[in-house]
Amino acid sequence: MPQDDLTTPDDIVIPGAPAPVPPSLAEPTEPVDPLPPQPDQAGPATVSPTGAETGLPAATVAQQGSRLTTAQGVRLRDTDHSLKAGPRGPVLLQDHHLREKITHFDHERIPERAVHARGAAAHGVFRSNGAAASVTRAHFLQPGVTTRVFTRFSTVLGSRGSADTVRDTRGFSTKFYTEEGVYDLVGNNIPVFFIQDAIKFPDVIHAGKPHPDREIPQAQSAHDTFWDFVSLHTEAQNHTMWNMSDRGIPRSYRMMQGFGVHTFRMVNAQGDTSLVKFHWRPKLGTHALTWEEAQLAAGKDPDFHRRDLADAIESGAFPEWDLALQVMPDTVDETFEGIDLLDPTKIVPEELAPLQVVGTMTLNANPTNYFAETEQVAFHPGHLVPGIDVTNDPLLQGRLFSYLDTQISRLGGPNFAQLPINRPHADVNDMLRDGMHQTAVHSGVAPYKPNSLDGGCPFHAGADEAAFTDLPVRVAESVKERAQPAGFDDHYSQARLFYRSLTPIEQLHVAEAYAFELAKCYEQAIKERQLQALANIDADLCATVADALGLPAPAPTVEVPDAPVSPALAMVGDTWPIDGRIVGLFADEQTDPGALARARAAVHAAGALPLVVAARGGMLGGIPVQRTAHTAASIEFDAVVALTAAADPRTARLFDEAFRHGKAIGATSAAEAVLSGARIPADAPGVVVGTPEEVVAAVLDLLPAHRVWERWQAPLR
């Protein structure tokens, strides 16, 4: 290969640069205006607090001017020294700049979310294919409509400072800025929930949160109070089973499903209604971390998931999800194939109600400011648009109250919808006035109806003017009571359905997760009570967990009917696109620069991201080094390729971890010492040896399966 064909340092976008232009070595002295955002960043649309398009560039809401000022726009000559009575004297109370600066800092924080505090988000677009037009009149789901969105992912239990890769349910919430108003699809990466009635929500969260005396453990469910609750409230067993599966530790937000959890009601243009469930399906497939990877990531890179999302968008590997619906008849009993659609602890298997793809979401821009966007975005399942309505799901009904109440508390008052990230992209004329943080300047003198002083404005909208109409759903004659339908009492059949639908390796991971979590519990009675629940779900699972705990496996106490398995619930066994996957190329001064350049170009051409790893930083034959042997970690690579014969102990440890985690591994014939140093058999499944071109091609062919699953069929070392 001619030298001038070698890959140059700037031909592949390597994410992570903190500023749009490289900084100078010396402190800058020539005034410049604020730098623009990074190319991968975007902010909220520039609409007014009442939804009017301003036509202003996004920079109008950023800092202005090259000179430091007070919050009132007064220029300052010094922000390093307080105003004192002489150089050694006391600080003066009249120092207005000091008081403003410190006071604002003291009030920078707002209360973090009680749940879903740890989050990451991105801007994007949703494109409807029109397939939903037959079941809903919602405009954003009509043929060819494109809608701006903002999506936030999160963990549930941990604080804002907790690790990304803990075993937990993940939030998956999307704000659609439709021309009919804001619609929020507020869901999780697990389609069922722990409880059936919202009145228990404080209980399950109190149980899952750290113990109140020590505030530990943080961001995990492996403790007594959680398992005490779920073993006593056996309605939680289905969600717990999902949480103990590999879905509890996603590989990436980009590789995670999302669900609306509840059943919603849709109405079409003719007034016909259907019951629906929402599904987000990632184009890259649904994948997970191994347990060891999750532990390594929590220590080496606690920001693993948010970094993965931001880096993928910055490097142009825009993540995509198909939005799909399960559509079921709106019957009087609100059941389908014997499944109560108002029970949020139940799913409808895809084999009974196939998914119908109605559009695709692409996330294509990172936030410009985390606080202003990711932290202040306010979701609410009651933010509905015409054509979508709620059902009498008792968990959903409670959420309709709780989310609004939470936003008022967190964001300082009732005007949170006027924050730029929450502003509707539709006209707002709500007659709501005043309150804390009011940024609209309302005109008129008559914020009431009816009125004549404002000419009668605002007027009601007719049904033909995209007005939201509460569906006149018949309520059966009954009495007021604290009760639930009898069908809600089945707490085990769907947990059994889920577990038995998994592949053997996934079932093994479930058993290992239960064993780890219950072993962390102190009280023997709690372990035994949860084993009893497992016995009612699956005898083999119970026996495996009991053996790991050194306890006898109890006999089942409930007769649970078998149901056909749902293959769609398994994550293993298919292949997926490799966009944004990360391949580590290990090289040194002895590596042929041409071979390294060709390997790097081949990985990039396949849609993956090549990262060059060497003993130290700098350049190798004109190619930049992104990681050193000291900073590289196995968790950040989906596959590794050795192009060097150097047997660095740190590299050997990394390759050993990659092998244990089932990742594709390649080594040139001259680099087999790396494999032997890591005790990796050259003929093991998913290990490739050959020329650089052969090795890279073979590794790229292995990546679509996510892992080399055959490696788990042999005893783990």
Side-chain angles (χ1 to χ4, degrees):
M1 181 175 183
Q3 185 70 25
D4 59 0
D5 286 342
L6 294 182
T7 304
T8 55
D10 60 354
D11 69 334
I12 297 175
V13 176
I14 302 297
V21 295
S24 60
L25 182 61
E27 179 181 352
T29 56
E30 288 297 319
V32 297
D33 286 332
L35 297 177
Q38 297 261 44
D40 61 289
Q41 295 175 334
T46 51
V47 296
S48 76
T50 53
E53 292 187 10
T54 65
L56 297 173
T60 56
V61 295
Q63 294 85 357
Q64 306 295 317
S66 62
R67 298 315 197 265
L68 178 68
T69 73
T70 68
Q72 314 306 316
V74 178
R75 289 187 174 186
L76 295 164
R77 61 174 298 274
D78 184 355
T79 193
D80 294 331
H81 305 94
S82 303
L83 187 65
K84 307 179 185 72
R88 297 176 62 82
V91 175
L92 300 178
L93 183 62
Q94 77 175 66
D95 190 343
H96 63 93
H97 176 42
L98 167 68
R99 285 186 287 111
E100 179 185 73
K101 187 175 180 181
I102 293 297
T103 299
H104 193 282
F105 173 78
D106 291 343
H107 293 264
E108 278 184 0
R109 295 295 178 264
I110 63 174
E112 68 175 33
R113 291 167 169 86
V115 288
H116 299 278
R118 173 77 177 181
H123 295 274
V125 294
F126 175 79
R127 296 180 176 89
S128 171
N129 63 19
S134 62
V135 294
T136 180
R137 57 177 288 206
H139 179 264
F140 79 97
L141 290 173
Q142 302 309 302
V145 177
T146 297
T147 304
R148 289 187 63 162
V149 298
F150 188 72
T151 295
R152 185 179 188 270
F153 308 99
S154 57
T155 53
V156 172
L157 292 178
S159 66
R160 275 192 61 188
S162 58
D164 277 347
T165 59
V166 295
R167 182 179 295 281
D168 197 359
T169 303
R170 264 69 180 179
F172 191 134
S173 297
T174 300
K175 186 176 290 292
F176 295 81
Y177 301 97
T178 88
E179 68 173 40
E180 297 178 311
V182 165
Y183 171 62
D184 288 345
L185 179 51
V186 193
N188 289 330
N189 74 320
I190 290 176
V192 294
F193 204 66
F194 286 107
I195 53 174
Q196 296 167 324
D197 193 308
I199 200 170
K200 296 181 182 180
F201 190 73
D203 302 311
V204 67
I205 297 304
H206 288 166
K209 284 286 191 177
H211 292 194
D213 51 354
R214 301 185 180 188
E215 187 61 11
I216 55 174
Q218 178 62 245
Q220 58 177 299
S221 55
H223 55 92
D224 286 84
T225 58
F226 174 80
W227 288 100
D228 186 37
F229 180 90
V230 300
S231 62
L232 289 169
H233 288 77
T234 51
E235 69 198 65
Q237 290 299 316
N238 194 22
H239 190 144
T240 303
M241 183 69 71
W242 283 75
N243 227 33
M244 293 302 106
S245 78
D246 289 340
R247 292 173 186 261
I249 43 175
R251 159 62 179 84
S252 163
Y253 290 137
R254 300 180 293 129
M255 305 165 197
M256 187 175 82
Q257 291 181 13
F259 303 91
V261 179
H262 309 285
T263 299
F264 292 84
R265 183 172 274 108
M266 283 187 165
V267 57
N268 64 16
Q270 293 74 42
D272 302 319
T273 61
S274 304
L275 298 179
V276 303
K277 285 183 174 290
F278 291 97
H279 295 247
W280 288 111
R281 311 292 284 193
K283 294 277 196 176
L284 298 180
T286 308
H287 305 303
L289 296 169
T290 67
W291 180 238
E292 185 181 29
E293 282 180 305
Q295 302 308 296
L296 290 170
K300 293 187 176 183
D301 187 3
D303 307 305
F304 185 77
H305 283 151
R306 65 169 59 176
R307 188 188 312 281
D308 174 270
L309 177 67
D311 283 357
I313 293 173
E314 184 180 350
S315 60
F318 300 145
E320 292 187 318
W321 289 260
D322 286 332
L323 179 62
L325 302 180
Q326 284 182 298
V327 182
M328 294 149 288
D330 188 359
T331 57
V332 174
D333 60 3
E334 295 172 306
T335 65
F336 180 75
E337 297 290 340
I339 301 167
D340 193 326
L341 298 179
L342 300 188
D343 183 349
T345 68
K346 305 291 196 302
I347 66 165
V348 176
E350 294 179 29
E351 292 75 14
L352 298 179
L355 301 188
Q356 302 176 37
V357 175
V358 299
T360 300
M361 177 174 70
T362 303
L363 298 184
N364 54 21
N366 287 310
T368 301
N369 183 278
Y370 183 92
F371 177 81
E373 298 167 75
T374 307
E375 188 63 16
Q376 290 196 127
V377 66
F379 296 100
H380 176 30
H383 291 163
L384 302 164
V385 291
I388 304 176
D389 207 342
V390 299
T391 59
N392 291 337
D393 176 335
L395 178 62
L396 176 57
Q397 293 281 311
R399 293 178 71 198
L400 295 173
F401 167 81
S402 181
Y403 276 69
L404 179 60
D405 192 44
T406 294
Q407 308 306 348
I408 292 173
S409 174
R410 286 192 68 244
L411 299 173
N415 291 311
F416 61 85
Q418 296 182 19
L419 293 167
I421 193 62
N422 296 321
R423 290 176 181 174
H425 296 184
D427 294 343
V428 175
N429 196 342
D430 52 21
M431 294 197 302
L432 305 176
R433 293 294 186 268
D434 306 339
M436 295 183 67
H437 312 306
Q438 176 62 255
T439 58
V441 181
H442 296 106
S443 60
V445 296
Y448 53 84
K449 282 196 65 65
N451 76 73
S452 62
L453 293 176
D454 283 346
C457 185
F459 295 86
H460 291 128
D464 59 342
E465 298 175 291
F468 184 88
T469 302
D470 296 285
L471 294 172
V473 179
R474 183 176 297 279
V475 178
E477 181 180 350
S478 188
V479 296
K480 288 190 293 186
E481 58 180 330
R482 296 186 184 273
Q484 66 181 16
F488 279 41
D489 295 334
D490 174 13
H491 297 167
Y492 299 112
S493 65
Q494 286 223 334
R496 172 179 290 186
L497 164 69
F498 176 74
Y499 176 73
R500 294 185 178 177
S501 298
L502 303 180
T503 60
I505 183 60
E506 291 173 287
Q507 291 180 341
L508 172 62
H509 291 169
V510 168
E512 291 174 340
Y514 273 108
F516 176 88
E517 298 256 330
L518 292 173
K520 288 286 189 176
C521 293
Y522 180 86
E523 296 294 347
Q524 189 83 346
I526 293 174
K527 300 177 187 179
E528 294 177 1
R529 192 188 307 136
Q530 180 57 36
L531 285 175
Q532 183 62 69
L534 293 182
N536 293 335
I537 296 168
D538 186 89
D540 290 340
L541 171 61
C542 178
T544 302
V545 177
D547 180 66
L549 297 175
L551 294 172
T557 57
V558 176
E559 186 174 341
V560 180
D562 287 329
V565 299
S566 175
L569 297 177
M571 295 195 299
V572 176
D574 209 340
T575 57
W576 304 93
I578 64 171
D579 298 1
R581 293 287 190 158
I582 300 176
V583 179
L585 301 176
F586 290 73
D588 62 10
E589 291 83 357
Q590 306 306 314
T591 301
D592 175 19
L596 176 58
R598 290 190 294 273
R600 190 168 177 261
V603 171
H604 182 250
L609 178 66
L611 295 183
V612 177
V613 187
R616 51 184 172 272
M619 306 287 285
L620 283 178
I623 296 173
V625 174
Q626 280 84 42
R627 301 288 187 274
T628 68
H630 184 65
T631 61
S634 64
I635 53 170
E636 66 181 323
F637 302 115
D638 295 289
V640 291
V641 176
L643 301 171
T644 170
D648 189 303
R650 296 167 295 188
T651 300
R653 183 173 64 249
L654 187 150
F655 270 67
D656 175 61
E657 291 173 354
F659 182 81
R660 291 204 310 272
H661 302 155
K663 295 177 179 178
I665 295 174
T668 62
S669 301
E672 286 195 68
V674 175
L675 300 182
S676 59
R679 298 178 296 124
I680 297 174
D683 60 351
V687 178
V688 185
V689 178
T691 67
E693 290 77 11
E694 292 170 341
V695 167
V696 171
V699 164
L700 292 173
D701 284 342
L702 290 166
L703 273 178
H706 180 54
R707 297 188 191 277
V708 183
W709 297 107
E710 300 91 327
R711 209 175 283 162
W712 266 278
Q713 295 177 3
L716 295 179
R717 292 183 292 116

